[in-house]
Every structure is written in C-alpha cells, then in structure tokens.
Amino acid sequence: SQQGEEDPQALSIQEGENATMNCSYKTSINNLQWYRQNSGRGLVHLILIRSNEREKHSGRLRVTLDTSKKSSSLLITASRAADTASYFCATDRGGYSTLTFGKGTMLLVSP
Amino acid sequence: EAGVTQFPSHSVIEKGQTVTLRCDPISGHDNLYWYRRVMGKEIKFLLHFVKESKQDESGMPNNRFLAERTGGTYSTLKVQPAELEDSGVYFCASSTSTDTQYFGPGTRLTVL
C-alpha cells in the first residue's frame, strides 16, 4: 500500500450524520495534513497535526493521530451536503520534505 | 490576500504538442511545489523550488518535463512533447516554511 492511504475509498451518508475517514502511512512523519477537494476545484487545507500531537479540533472537524499504529482519522460531525468532496491525507517527514498523498476518500452527503 | 493561482484551468492538446502551465504562488512564499494527479491514482510530487532554485526534482517523470521559476516568483512547467500518459491534473502549492502548503485550483491537462 502507499504512504498515506485512506479508507474507505468511498463513503455515502445522510446529512446530519458523522463521517469518519482513516489514513494509514508507513514511514515516520513530521506532520500529517488533511485536504479536501471539491469536484473540479483545488485542494483546500483543512487541518495539520504534528507528530507529537494526538488530537486536534477545528470547527466540525476532529483529527486524531496514532503514531504507534501509523494512522490518523478525520471525523466530520453533523455533515452537510456541502461536505461532499474527496478527502486526502498527506504526510511529510520534516525539513524540506514534500507531501506524500493517498488516493483519497470520496464522501457523498445526501440531503 | 490572493491564493495560489494557476493558468490555464484546462488544456486540451494533441500528442506531440507542447504545453506550458503557469503557477503564481502566494506573495512572499519562497517555497513552490508542483504535484500531479493522474486519474484514479494518488497525487504525486513532481518538484520543489526554494525561491528560484530547484530544491528537489526527484518526482519529475522524465526529461520531457521542464520547470522554471525565474526571479523566484511565478513558475512554469513545460511538457514537450506531450504524451497520452501526461494527462491529469497538475497542482501547484506554495508555503512560507515547511508546514502547511496552500494549493492552487489545478490545471486539467488532456492529451489526445
């Protein structure tokens, strides 16, 4: 599997429900970031969590990081139709290292 | 503050032709990155500039790709000659440090 691999690949829920996406990676990291891409648009940065952090919140987003399991999760609470997008996790190894992305999770939120 | 901009948003060319993509980073961002997403696959790193210097170009697929960043401001990525497998979305990102990278809307390249 690739560094920064998300699951599930696709997720379909109803408005108001919570959505959880997971990301696993293989090598040690400095930071892990989550991005969102709406159809045909660019990547929007959602949240960054550092390797020494375990949990972070931003609005309806909650990110956890377990470096012992090399995994992270993104929880979107009270989802809205506007949350429909592809979500990617990306890792870096510090310094000038670049981002390594997974294939993403496609989230569909139905009204 | 303006975000990262990319031009064009879409480009359709024939195999063998040349295409030049442009990226304007956020003002003051010394770091500029190019990434590419081929359909159905993950977003992959192409190269990284720090100001006008290439810090890392390990992701460039072959010598048909040429990136420049003259003056340390905007960057161009030229594909010459284009092949079918070059089709995809090309993203540019910029940052002030080694943390958050801010991405542009991407250029969708279709090679026929």
Side-chain angles (χ1 to χ4, degrees), chain A residues 2 30-31 33 35 37 40-45 48 50 86 88 92 94-104, chain B residues 31 33 35 37 40-45 47-48 50 55-56 89 91 97-106 108:
Chain A
Q2 298 289 325
N30 188 51
N31 301 309
Q33 307 185 51
Y35 287 85
Q37 184 186 21
R41 308 289 293 275
L43 289 164
V44 174
H45 182 260
L48 178 152
R50 301 186 190 283
S86 291
F88 299 89
D92 74 73
Y96 279 123
S97 74
T98 57
L99 295 177
T100 301
F101 286 86
K103 292 185 181 181
Chain B
N31 295 281
Y33 307 81
Y35 293 85
R37 187 183 190 198
K41 300 201 172 179
E42 64 270 24
I43 300 166
K44 285 199 169 178
F45 164 76
L47 89 158
H48 170 207
V50 178
Q55 178 69 29
D56 182 353
V89 181
F91 292 102
S97 64
T98 54
D99 287 344
T100 301
Q101 296 181 23
Y102 296 92
F103 281 75
R108 182 174 296 278

Side-chain angles (χ1 to χ4, degrees), chain B residues 3-20:
Chain B
V4 177
T5 58
Q6 293 186 243
F7 182 84
S9 57
H10 292 87
S11 181
V12 180
I13 62 173
E14 296 198 348
K15 176 182 172 181
Q17 290 186 321
T18 298
V19 63
T20 300

